C-alpha cells in the first residue's frame, strides 16, 4: 500500500504522481534529509502545488522528536475533525476535542476560540504528544503559551494554519519558539498539508 | 455563526479574512452571480490561494441544480471521509461508501479503485443527489460513465480532484459532460476546495 491507495490502479496513479512531484521540486529540497524530503514530497503531492516546497520550514529537531513520540504511541491532537479524519494509519490515538462540552465551557469562560480552548483542555487533562493545526492560529498561540509556562507536554507541533488573518503570525511565532515544529511561510497551509505531514511521519516510523 | 466560527474571536478572524479575499479577487469574479461569487470567495478563503479564482469553472446550471437538490434534502456522497467530515451543517445525509465491505468486493471484482467502486455501489443502491470529489479522478470518470448510461441520478458534481495524474483529465471530461458541475482547471484542487464549495451552497439554501 502506497499513499493510501489500496488497488492496483490507485497505486499506479499514486506512484506516477510521486515521480512527477520529485522532478518538479528536486532543486528545492537540497540540504534536507530523506525524512524531511518525504514530508515535502507528500505535501506537494497532496496539493499539486509545488510552491509548498519553498514555503515549508522545519526546525532541525522536528523529525526526530516527532518520530520518537509516534514510536511511543503518544497521542496526536488535531485542531479540527477534518484533520483527524485524514490520519487513518496510526497505531496510537488521534484526538480532537473541539466538540467536547467542556471545551465549549472553557471557550465561554476564558473568552477564547473553541480551538484555543481545546488546547487548554488538553493541558488540563495531561496531554503528551504531537499537536497538529491545519486551521486555527488561535490554537497555535495557546499551545505555545502553555508550553512556555511548562503546562503542556508537546513533543512537536505541525503548525500549518491557513488564512489571511493571524495564520502567518502564529506560524512565525511557532518557528521562533523552542518547540520542534514544521510550518508554512505566509497565509497558505491547511488540512491537506497537516495531514500529509503526519501521514509521512507515520509511514516512516 | 459565520464560516464555522462559533466564538467572537473566531468570527472576527473569519470576517476580516473574507474582506481580504474580496479585495484580492474582485477583478476575477466579473460576470459571476452572487451565489457563484460566494463559492469562489469561500474556496480562496479556505486555501489562502487567490489563484483558485482563475481556476474554478462552473457550468451555468450548477448552482441552480445543486441548490434544488440540497433544498430537497437529497444525499451528498463524498469520495473520501476527510471530505465528508468537513460538511457539518447539512440537514440531509452526507455519505461516504469507500470503507464499505461491499465496495471492496466490487473493486476486486471489476478491477477498479475503491473510489470508483463506491460510485458503482451508489448506483446499485439508487443514489439520488450531489456527488463531491476532492481526491479521486477514477470516481469522477465512473460517475460520468454511469450517468451517461442513465444508471445514476446525479443532480450535480463538485469535481475537484487534486493531483498530477488523471485529475486534470477527469475534470476536463466532467466539464464537457451534461452534468451540472464545478471543476478546477489543472492539477490543483482537493478536500478544502470540495468542502468550501458544498458549505457555501448549504449556507445559501
Amino acid at each position: 500500500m502506497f499513499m493510501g491507495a489500496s488497488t492496483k490502479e490507485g497505486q499506479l496513479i499514486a506512484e506516477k504522481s510521486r515521480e512527477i512531484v520529485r522532478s518538479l521540486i528536486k532543486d528545492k529540497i537540497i540540504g534536507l534529509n530523506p525524512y524531511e524530503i518525504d514530508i515535502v514530497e507528500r505535501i506537494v503531492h497532496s496539493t499539486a502545488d509545488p510552491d509548498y516546497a519553498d514555503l515549508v520550514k522545519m526546525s532541525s529537531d522536528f523529525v526526530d522528536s516527532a518520530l520518537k513520540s509516534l514510536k511511543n504511541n503518544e497521542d496526536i491532537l488535531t485542531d479540527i475533525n477534518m484533520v483527524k479524519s485524514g490520519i487513518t494509519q496510526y497505531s496510537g490515538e488521534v484526538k480532537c476535542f473541539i466538540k467536547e462540552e467542556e471545551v465549549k465551557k472553557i471557550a465561554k469562560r476564558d473568552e477564547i476560540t473553541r480551538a484555543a480552548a481545546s488546547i487548554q483542555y488538553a493541558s488540563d487533562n495531561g496531554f503528551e504528544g504531537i499537536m497538529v493545526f491545519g486551521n486555527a492560529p488561535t490554537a497555535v498561540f495557546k499551545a505555545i503559551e502553555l508550553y512556555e509556562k511548562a503546562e503542556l507536554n508537546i513533543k512537536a507541533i505541525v503548525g500549518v494554519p491557513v488564512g489571511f488573518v493571524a495564520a502567518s503570525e502564529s506560524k512565525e511565532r511557532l518557528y521562533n519558539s523552542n518547540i520542534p515544529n514544521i510550518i508554512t511561510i505566509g497565509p497558505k497551509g491547511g488540512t491537506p498539508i497537516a495531514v500529509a505531514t503526519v501521514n509521512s511521519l507515520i509511514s516512516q516510523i
Side-chain angles (χ1 to χ4, degrees), chain A:
Chain A
M1 195 147 113
F2 179 70
M3 304 288 297
S6 55
T7 62
K8 202 175 167 185
E9 190 183 358
Q11 206 169 333
L12 284 173
I13 290 176
E15 280 173 17
K16 199 171 165 195
S17 177
R18 196 66 179 258
E19 276 171 35
I20 293 170
V21 169
R22 283 202 182 110
S23 70
L24 284 171
I25 68 171
K26 65 177 187 298
D27 298 332
K28 299 179 176 183
I29 51 172
I30 294 161
L32 299 185
N33 68 42
Y35 294 97
E36 295 166 335
I37 289 171
D38 190 80
I39 291 169
V40 175
E41 283 183 0
R42 281 224 184 203
I43 290 171
V44 174
H45 172 92
S46 72
T47 56
D49 186 348
D51 290 352
Y52 277 107
D54 294 314
L55 300 180
V56 170
K57 300 288 164 200
M58 290 172 243
S59 66
S60 58
D61 54 0
F62 170 70
V63 166
D64 278 355
S65 189
L67 283 178
K68 196 174 164 194
S69 179
L70 295 171
K71 276 176 192 159
N72 289 334
N73 278 316
E74 291 175 2
D75 287 349
I76 296 174
L77 182 74
T78 67
D79 54 350
I80 63 168
N81 278 303
M82 194 158 62
V83 173
K84 179 183 167 185
S85 73
I87 305 167
T88 55
Q89 307 288 324
Y90 186 44
S91 53
E93 277 195 76
V94 187
K95 296 175 174 175
C96 177
F97 296 141
I98 196 136
K99 290 194 171 167
E100 300 279 335
E101 281 307 315
E102 183 64 23
V103 167
K104 291 180 197 170
K105 283 181 200 162
I106 294 169
K108 207 167 174 181
R109 181 194 70 198
D110 296 351
E111 296 185 327
I112 55 177
T113 65
R114 271 164 56 187
S118 77
I119 309 308
Q120 182 64 57
Y121 179 81
S123 165
D124 296 347
N125 288 278
F127 177 85
E128 184 170 359
I130 296 174
M131 292 198 169
V132 185
F133 306 128
N135 301 272
T138 54
V140 176
F141 285 122
K142 179 57 80 178
I144 299 168
E145 175 198 326
L146 294 173
Y147 177 87
E148 293 182 345
K149 288 201 278 185
E151 291 177 10
L152 193 52
N153 199 353
I154 311 178
K155 305 302 174 62
I157 292 184
V158 178
V160 293
V162 59
F164 294 104
V165 180
S168 298
E169 294 83 342
S170 76
K171 292 181 280 191
E172 200 178 311
R173 177 79 183 79
L174 175 60
Y175 198 67
N176 291 321
S177 78
N178 289 322
I179 307 170
N181 70 81
I182 181 171
I183 63 150
T184 48
I185 296 170
K188 280 166 74 170
T191 297
I193 293 88
V195 167
T197 302
V198 177
N199 287 340
S200 167
L201 290 165
I202 290 171
S203 76
Q204 299 188 84
I205 296 176

